[in-house]
Amino acid sequence: MSLEAIQKVTEAEQAARERRAEAAEEAKRIVADAERAGRQLVQDQRAKAEQEARSMLADAEAQAEKKAEQTLADHAARCEALKQDARKRLDKAAALIVGRVGNS
């Protein structure tokens, strides 16, 4: 083999080694970029999920508060009705008590 042919083979091998090294570096860069993008996506989705959870919790609390207020209002109305009914019978109860005490 001539010296020129050996030199061409050596240059070709060197070029191939350089291309492999460049390809390996490019692959590492692509993997690093993908990992970075993946971590960012996970972080973004986690933040979005936390925001949605806070919103859902706030909605549930508002509904619970509204239901509690309605329940309190219903019970207050029932209590008032019972008081009104009791007041109507107060005179009759007092007369019954006075009658029993007077008969003893």
Side-chain angles (χ1 to χ4, degrees):
M1 198 185 278
S2 72
L3 185 59
E4 188 176 309
I6 293 174
Q7 188 174 6
K8 284 184 180 181
V9 169
T10 303
E11 289 173 0
E13 288 175 346
Q14 180 62 30
R17 279 192 294 272
E18 289 174 4
R19 282 195 301 270
R20 272 195 297 266
E22 289 172 0
E25 287 299 316
E26 179 68 11
K28 286 179 185 177
R29 187 189 62 76
I30 290 170
V31 168
D33 289 348
E35 287 176 348
R36 197 174 313 114
R39 283 191 298 271
Q40 184 63 46
L41 182 61
V42 167
Q43 184 179 357
D44 292 346
Q45 291 301 314
R46 184 174 288 135
K48 182 179 176 183
E50 287 173 357
Q51 178 59 36
E52 287 177 7
R54 281 192 294 273
S55 177
M56 290 171 66
L57 181 60
D59 289 346
E61 287 174 344
Q63 289 177 358
E65 185 175 341
K66 190 175 183 180
K67 185 169 178 81
E69 288 174 1
Q70 182 62 46
T71 301
L72 287 173
D74 291 346
H75 288 298
R78 287 176 61 197
C79 285
E80 190 57 37
L82 288 172
K83 286 179 188 178
Q84 295 281 339
D85 189 42
R87 284 185 189 116
K88 290 178 186 175
R89 291 188 256 159
L90 187 59
D91 290 338
K92 186 176 179 182
L96 181 64
I97 292 170
V98 168
R100 285 190 180 173
V101 170
N103 290 335
S104 20

